[in-house]
Amino acid sequence: MNSATLLAIISHPAANATLARHWPYFKSTGWDILGCGSRDGKTEWPEPVPTLNTGRISVIKSVTPAIDGLLEQELDILDYFLEKTSSSDVCVVEYDGVFVRRPPPHPGGLYLVSVIPNFQPHTFRTSVYFQTPRWSDRSTTQRLAKAGRALLWQGDVEHWMSDRFMARIAYRCGIKFQQIPAWSPFPCGSPDAADRAAAFIHDARAAITLGAFYIHGVKTAEQLTALCPNGPLPNPA
């Protein structure tokens, strides 16, 4: 692996079609890709890439228990980056993300994240949580990985939800984080599906106009076409 940034994409077999649609947008970053799939090995990567198949994803039925294995998977990604690559930073994203423009280099010294307000203050212990991208340089990743394993052993796991857990690590360990130009839908909104779909397109387009380089939560081909009518940027030479 030769690029400065390692792009770690979390996916699973049920998302294979979405991952294939979004693949050119991931490739447009010019970064080396690590495919982070499920333990059954059925996650399909559109091109041959190194893989780390440690994910165990279950259906969310309630806040607790939530998703099986996501915390361990994220820590496995950080360990892989530290132990098996020479890249300077690692950017963790999910299959339903889209890079709509090329990100700038990581500045170093910060945990760059997409910050979402915590709408369940009596359940989770941080005022915000960290959606993808979650992007850290090597020194910050070392701190996240070490503290994350310790919190996991202590049972301080934020209901086994990785976006809350990574925020918990930063809060407990004093790791500096910063919002980056990325957009993710707020999880509370209209109960009407048509209203939510229209609002998603409207707000995501506004975020792109204001400079966002990454949009999270793109689930359908219609959403992708609405947000990126001209397709992905060409791959860097």
Side-chain angles (χ1 to χ4, degrees):
M1 292 189 173
N2 300 310
S3 69
T5 299
L6 174 66
L7 180 62
I9 306 170
I10 297 174
S11 191
H12 56 88
N16 284 339
T18 304
L19 177 64
R21 279 197 304 272
H22 292 184
W23 192 254
Y25 297 85
F26 293 130
K27 292 280 290 183
S28 72
T29 62
W31 297 340
D32 291 330
I33 292 175
L34 174 66
C36 306
S38 54
R39 287 187 174 185
D40 60 13
K42 295 181 179 180
T43 305
E44 296 176 359
W45 303 98
E47 297 179 24
V49 293
T51 56
L52 183 67
N53 293 321
T54 62
R56 293 176 291 134
I57 299 181
S58 304
V59 176
I60 300 177
K61 295 183 179 179
S62 62
V63 173
T64 304
I67 304 176
D68 181 31
L70 282 184
L71 309 194
E72 294 94 332
Q73 183 183 35
E74 187 115 5
L75 295 176
D76 289 343
I77 292 168
L78 302 186
D79 288 343
Y80 182 101
F81 160 72
L82 291 170
E83 297 168 6
K84 297 187 178 182
T85 81
S86 59
S87 298
S88 60
D89 48 86
V90 58
C91 183
V92 178
V93 297
E94 295 170 293
Y95 70 92
D96 60 346
V98 174
F99 284 95
V100 296
R101 47 175 63 94
R102 205 161 287 129
H106 193 289
L110 291 167
Y111 191 23
L112 303 181
V113 292
S114 181
V115 178
I116 306 294
N118 179 7
F119 63 99
Q120 294 174 314
H122 302 297
T123 302
F124 302 103
R125 285 171 286 186
T126 60
S127 60
V128 297
Y129 64 95
F130 298 163
Q131 263 295 0
T132 54
R134 294 187 282 268
W135 191 5
S136 52
D137 65 0
R138 189 162 285 271
S139 62
T140 302
T141 303
Q142 289 171 340
R143 296 181 64 194
L144 288 167
K146 180 178 180 180
R149 294 292 179 189
L151 266 62
L152 194 63
W153 184 83
Q154 295 166 15
D156 190 352
V157 293
E158 289 297 278
H159 297 272
W160 301 98
M161 301 182 77
S162 53
D163 46 12
R164 273 76 171 178
F165 180 64
M166 299 311 293
R168 179 64 173 163
I169 295 172
Y171 272 74
R172 275 202 58 176
C173 301
I175 295 173
K176 292 182 179 180
F177 62 89
Q178 182 172 303
Q179 169 73 46
I180 54 176
W183 182 85
S184 184
F186 191 68
C188 296
S190 169
D192 182 82
D195 286 349
R196 290 200 305 273
F200 178 92
I201 296 297
H202 177 276
D203 290 358
R205 281 175 169 168
I208 293 170
T209 300
L210 293 171
F213 61 71
Y214 180 90
I215 302 296
H216 175 250
V218 182
K219 303 291 188 183
T220 68
E222 292 75 17
Q223 289 174 332
L224 182 61
T225 299
L227 298 179
C228 303
N230 297 320
L233 294 170
N235 293 350

